Amino acid sequence: AACLDCPGGKFSATTGASVCSGVACKIGTYSTPGATSLSTAACLDCPAGKFSATTGASICSGTCNAGTYSIMLGAFSLSAAACLDCPGGRFSATTGASTCSGTCNAGTYSTTLGAISLSTAACVDCPGGKFSATTGASTCSGACNAGTYSTTLGAISLS
């Protein structure tokens, strides 16, 4: 007989089983294949940016949309995942993100929320007299000292 592992999210505690009937994992969790009991099912919280609305899941198939992220573990619905728009200066092109890893370059900034790409983030050069030394800025927080000025656009430092 070709015996197969019970699929992720389910288990079978009996020998000679023809089906895996036990539902191991609650909503907001998932497990890998081959469990023989609830304790060996090793139900894991859905990772940040993802969720599972069904019991006995083998993956967390629900995701935050592109342009959003979540830090919530074990979410069971899109609203429970509490997906947030990517902040200004950052973007996420992928669904199911736990961070917004895309950033505006140093010397630029963006106030656009929920961007899904560098182009939709609409990063603009820091104006004259201001600079941004970091990537992912929502403002150009550096500034020329009193008594000085600069006409340089997109500056990353005072010099």
Side-chain angles (χ1 to χ4, degrees), residues 4-68:
L4 305 172
D5 284 339
C6 287
K10 300 188 186 279
F11 70 95
S12 175
T14 61
T15 58
S18 60
V19 294
C20 298
S21 57
V23 175
C25 296
K26 64 180 181 174
I27 59 173
T29 65
Y30 72 101
S31 76
T32 55
T36 58
S37 69
L38 182 56
S39 62
T40 63
C43 298
L44 305 168
D45 283 339
C46 288
K50 299 186 177 195
F51 65 91
S52 174
T54 60
T55 57
S58 59
I59 60 169
C60 298
S61 57
T63 61
C64 289
N65 295 323
T68 67

Side-chain angles (χ1 to χ4, degrees), residues 105-108 126 130-137 139-142 155-158:
N105 296 322
T108 67
C126 291
K130 300 269 191 169
F131 69 92
S132 174
T134 61
T135 60
T139 63
C140 295
S141 56
I156 61 171
S157 67
L158 281 176

